[in-house]
Amino acid sequence: MGDYTNKKIKWGIMGTGWIAEQFAKDLVHVGNGEGLAAGSRTLASAEKFAEKFGLERAYGSYEELVNDPDIDAIYVATPHPYHKENVLTALNAGKAVLCEKPFTVNSLELEQLISSAKQKKLFLMEAMWTRFLPPIVQVRKWLEDGRIGEVKLVKAEFGFRSDWNPQGRLLNPELGGGALLDAGIYPVSFASMIFGSKPDKIWSTAEIGETGVDEQFSIMLDYGQGKVAMLNGAVRLNLNNDAYIHGTEGMIHIPSFLNAKEAVLRVTGKEEEKYRDGRSSTGYAFEAEEVGYCLLEGLKESPAIPLEESLGILKLLDEIRAQWGLKYPFE
């Protein structure tokens, strides 16, 4: 890893789909980083992407991208089943990596990535952008300060009704489709942020659709001592997408928690407090800034979402899928 003191982290973006576009668009709001290059499986796609977002360089293969000596960090924005291979490609080239959620399709794959990153002494982080949004950071501070007492109940859900496209990413089992990996990881990660990633008991149910993926699910996690998380996710059903945290002294409500722009604190017997985020970016800039901060500080993982937590979340998802008897064709 190079010396990042007093410099901007130069980003290479692997993949040119929708999520890559959101990240690239937000890089202009990152104080400690800037976009440099795009990589795709075809040069034409990379060039079109680079031109659209003002990147200097475009590469027609991921190997060329990661071997650019001027790139400090790679953002992996490819479909779920390719994350492991793509992250390893970047790590083997000596690059720091921010990998789009879900980190990998199962915990065994992530264990390999963590082992490789630690062996090579390279930075690695899951791109759980929600974790770094200012309202969520404020929520964590309220919790650390004990503003709502002991947290007993977390409720969170994320769901939307996608178009019927059996070959598309969301409904295709070959691409790791389904609600759990695409939508469900957000409420599961939210619960993990509060209670940890290792519940004592797990109850869950899912509707397995025509293509063989989970189209919607409900999960209840019991952490003992009356601490419970109730979570829902869907890719063929619109949900309200809010999150609630109930404590012995009050509650916190986060409207549209996935891309939270405000959080409301209600403490028993006190006036309501509201935190509003006036950000100019969509919100992906904050996870990029976190990577830049970690690299500048010489850290190999983020304290806000450590690798052990990401691994615990994937182990939890593995166990939930096992309850449904759901395996992906490539597993």
Side-chain angles (χ1 to χ4, degrees), residues 101-238:
K101 64 80 203 165
F103 226 143
T104 52
V105 293
N106 58 48
S107 60
L108 289 177
E109 289 190 349
L110 182 53
E111 284 175 343
Q112 293 177 52
L113 297 188
I114 292 173
S115 175
S116 177
K118 289 187 173 179
Q119 181 184 359
K120 298 175 188 304
K121 297 182 170 57
L122 292 169
F123 178 87
L124 180 62
M125 185 180 108
E126 179 182 11
M128 181 53 65
W129 73 302
T130 298
R131 189 71 61 103
F132 303 97
L133 297 175
I136 302 297
V137 173
Q138 180 61 51
V139 166
R140 293 177 74 167
K141 187 175 189 311
W142 283 338
L143 294 175
E144 288 165 9
D145 293 344
R147 296 293 300 279
I148 62 169
E150 185 181 7
V151 177
K152 290 291 189 176
L153 176 64
V154 170
K155 295 190 287 184
E157 61 184 33
F158 176 49
F160 52 90
R161 183 165 177 81
S162 65
D163 294 334
W164 178 252
N165 180 5
Q167 299 307 312
R169 183 178 63 82
L170 290 172
L171 298 176
N172 187 344
E174 295 284 354
L175 295 177
L180 189 64
L181 289 190
D182 201 82
I185 192 164
Y186 287 109
V188 171
S189 181
F190 185 80
S192 174
M193 179 184 82
I194 297 163
F195 286 142
S197 60
K198 296 178 181 176
D200 295 340
K201 297 176 184 175
I202 305 166
W203 294 273
S204 68
T205 184
E207 179 185 2
I208 306 300
E210 189 180 314
T211 65
V213 303
D214 53 308
E215 293 187 3
Q216 68 185 69
F217 68 82
S218 294
I219 300 168
M220 187 166 77
L221 305 175
D222 182 349
Y223 294 85
Q225 299 179 315
K227 298 178 179 180
V228 172
M230 300 177 69
L231 315 171
N232 299 294
V235 291
R236 293 281 290 158
L237 185 69
N238 286 318

Side-chain angles (χ1 to χ4, degrees), residues 2-12 26-37 56-57 69-74 95-96 285 288-297:
D3 179 11
Y4 300 108
T5 310
N6 299 320
K7 66 168 280 189
K8 283 195 171 187
I9 304 304
K10 289 185 168 53
W11 284 92
D26 250 21
L27 279 177
V28 297
H29 299 285
V30 176
N32 59 15
E34 58 189 6
L36 178 64
E56 290 179 23
R57 304 172 193 178
D70 296 326
I71 291 174
D72 300 304
I74 298 289
K95 303 301 186 189
E289 288 227 323
E290 173 71 5
V291 175
Y293 163 78
C294 290
L295 292 180
L296 293 166
E297 292 294 318

